[in-house]
């Protein structure tokens, strides 16, 4: 599908002042509106095929970027932030340029630099400028996706502020780079991670729409694990999701595992079961029944330790280990809960 920049006759964007007083595109990206709203609805329908649930989040994110806005996606790891954005840009035919926010993401790495070898031969010229991801995104009309946004240095964020506020930046010895209409900045951050992060300024928040994304419900996560793993055992999928979700509900766990942990748990357990010739139970219920074979629950315990022990972060004031916490979760799930259930 052609980008918005390639179809100016179909998109009614801010560069023609569609729905914007005075048509001021200095303060906004291009807005998809009017007749082209039908294409947005078609994109939404196609993107939804890539996702399990997330209808509300998809609507809000697609509405934001279609309205010409830059967006901050705020949520813990493994909550489909990248999947949502990648699906939208793929179906919209818009380039997605990914950068990771960290101390090494300097303004020069973000904007670009002049080739040292060519500068020695030719001096500084626009031709020997090597564009960084920000300039590439602006020139191509792509989406610049900055992951771990709150880990980027303040001067780098200030460079992004200029691009977001004015849709242009000035590069020394190159000139002014104007963003194509479909250029967007999309950032993501984990609100629960405070190590190595910086507090975002009000100036940053003032230029971004904020979409808070949390974990999905258990049914959606079972759908995700089934789709990502191809495992046909509903018992194993239900156990993997339930055990993983339990890590988010304990007071002694500061941050539990995302659905990625459930995916790995299911895959490792299925492989272990094959290696040990342990059949996966046919029991289809979501809640663990009584009397599951010990050889099966032992497989799940080993897979649980391997898949989740590095993904959970305990309260620092407690003297415990991830392995101890995970074993308690396993015992609660396979021993205590079935015993507490009503007979039959």
């Amino acid at each position: 599908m052609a980008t918005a920049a390639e179809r100016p006759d179909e998109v009614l964007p801010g560069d023609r002042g569609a729905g914007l007083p005075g048509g001021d595109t200095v303060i906004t990206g291009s807005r998809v509106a009017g007749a082209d709203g039908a294409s947005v609805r078609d994109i939404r329908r196609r993107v939804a095929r890539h996702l399990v649930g997330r209808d509300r989040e998809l609507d809000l994110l697609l509405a934001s970027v279609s309205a010409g806005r830059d967006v901050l996606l705020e949520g813990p790891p493994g909550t489909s932030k990248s999947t949502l954005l990648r699906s939208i840009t793929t179906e919209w035919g818009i380039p997605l340029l990914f950068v990771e926010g960290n101390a090494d993401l300097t303004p020069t790495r973000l904007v670009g630099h002049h080739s040292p070898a060519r500068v020695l031969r030719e001096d500084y010229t626009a031709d020997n400028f090597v564009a960084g991801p920000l300039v590439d995104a602006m020139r191509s009309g792509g989406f610049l996706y900055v992951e771990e946004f709150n880990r980027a240095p303040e001067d780098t964020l200030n460079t992004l502020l200029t691009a977001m506020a004015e849709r242009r930046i000035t590069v020394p010895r190159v000139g002014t780079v104007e963003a194509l209409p479909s250029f967007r900045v999309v950032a993501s951050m984990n609100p629960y991670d405070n190590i190595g992060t910086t507090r975002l300024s009000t100036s940053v928040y003032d230029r971004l729409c904020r979409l808070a994304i949390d974990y999905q419900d258990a049914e959606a996560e079972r759908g995700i694990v089934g789709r990502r793993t191809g495992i046909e055992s509903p018992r194993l999928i239900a156990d993997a999701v339930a055990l993983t979700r339990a890590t988010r509900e304990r007071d002694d766990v500061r941050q539990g595992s995302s659905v990625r942990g459930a995916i790995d748990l299911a895959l490792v357990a299925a492989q272990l079961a094959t290696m040990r010739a342990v059949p996966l139970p046919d029991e289809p219920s979501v809640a663990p029944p009584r009397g599951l074979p010990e050889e099966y629950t032992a497989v799940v315990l080993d897979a649980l330790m391997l898949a989740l022990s590095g993904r959970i972060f305990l309260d620092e004031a407690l003297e415990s280990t991830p392995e101890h916490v995970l074993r308690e979760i396993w015992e609660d799930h396979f021993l205590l809960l079935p015993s507490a259930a009503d007979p039959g």
Side-chain angles (χ1 to χ4, degrees):
M1 181 177 177
T3 67
E6 295 168 341
R7 298 182 290 101
D9 56 321
E10 296 182 20
V11 177
L12 304 178
D15 62 333
R16 291 207 299 269
L20 297 172
D24 190 355
T25 56
V26 172
I27 60 171
T28 182
S30 296
R31 183 168 68 89
V32 179
D36 203 52
S39 71
V40 178
R41 289 191 293 273
D42 181 58
I43 289 168
R44 192 244 181 259
R45 177 183 56 79
R46 298 203 309 268
V47 170
R49 297 200 301 257
H50 299 281
L51 304 169
V52 177
R54 293 298 185 205
D55 289 341
R56 175 179 175 274
E57 291 83 359
L58 172 57
D59 284 348
L60 293 175
L61 178 55
L62 189 53
S64 297
V65 296
S66 299
R69 312 319 303 165
D70 301 310
V71 187
L72 172 64
L73 306 177
E74 189 170 322
T79 48
S80 307
K81 298 186 294 295
S82 300
T83 302
L84 272 167
L85 185 60
R86 189 177 296 109
S87 299
I88 288 174
T89 53
T90 297
E91 293 295 348
W92 212 337
I94 291 175
L96 177 63
L97 291 92
F98 170 88
V99 295
E100 183 176 352
N102 54 45
D104 295 330
L105 185 64
T106 62
T108 298
R109 286 180 178 270
L110 187 66
V111 174
H113 65 280
H114 290 270
S115 168
R118 293 188 60 183
V119 166
L120 290 174
R121 296 195 306 266
E122 308 164 6
D123 204 355
Y124 290 95
T125 67
D127 289 339
N128 59 43
F129 176 72
V130 181
L134 174 59
V135 170
D136 277 341
M138 296 177 73
R139 286 174 172 173
S140 65
F143 284 17
L144 178 68
Y145 180 43
V146 186
E147 196 172 49
E148 304 289 351
F149 191 56
N150 54 341
R151 292 180 180 273
E154 185 176 359
D155 54 348
T156 303
L157 296 182
N158 290 337
T159 302
L160 282 172
L161 285 180
T162 302
M164 290 189 289
E166 301 181 10
R167 320 313 285 185
R168 65 170 67 96
I169 59 171
T170 300
V171 182
R173 301 184 181 91
V174 174
T176 300
V177 177
E178 300 273 358
L180 290 183
S182 56
F183 166 71
R184 303 285 187 274
V185 173
V186 181
S188 70
M189 56 182 273
N190 174 9
Y192 306 112
D193 193 354
N194 297 319
I195 300 175
T197 61
T198 58
R199 184 176 180 180
L200 298 182
S201 68
T202 55
S203 297
V204 173
Y205 276 116
D206 191 49
R207 287 169 171 80
L208 294 163
C209 291
R210 174 180 171 273
L211 176 58
I213 301 179
D214 206 346
Y215 295 110
Q216 293 174 276
D217 60 29
E219 181 179 0
E221 291 196 343
R222 288 192 293 270
I224 292 170
V225 173
R227 175 181 291 191
R228 295 289 182 86
T229 64
I231 293 172
E232 297 181 355
S233 168
R235 174 74 269 135
L236 176 56
I237 291 174
D239 291 335
V241 169
L243 290 164
T244 300
R245 291 178 65 84
T247 65
R248 309 171 202 157
E249 299 167 358
R250 291 179 59 106
D251 294 336
D252 53 359
V253 178
R254 178 167 53 86
Q255 182 176 324
S257 173
S258 73
V259 71
R260 292 174 185 152
I263 291 169
D264 283 4
L265 197 166
L267 287 170
V268 171
Q271 192 65 32
L272 277 176
T274 299
M275 293 166 57
R276 297 175 181 177
V278 174
L280 298 179
D282 294 330
E283 172 59 51
S285 68
V286 172
R290 297 185 183 184
L292 284 172
E294 290 186 7
E295 58 182 0
Y296 165 72
T297 59
V299 161
V300 174
L301 176 61
D302 285 342
L304 178 69
M305 296 297 180
L306 181 63
L308 300 192
S309 60
R311 283 186 163 101
I312 65 172
F313 301 91
L314 307 186
D315 187 326
E316 296 175 356
L318 299 177
E319 294 184 2
S320 187
T321 65
E323 289 77 11
H324 177 75
V325 170
L326 291 173
R327 186 171 188 94
E328 286 187 348
I329 289 173
W330 175 86
E331 290 174 348
D332 287 345
H333 181 73
F334 283 117
L335 303 179
L336 297 184
L337 290 180
S339 297
D342 291 334

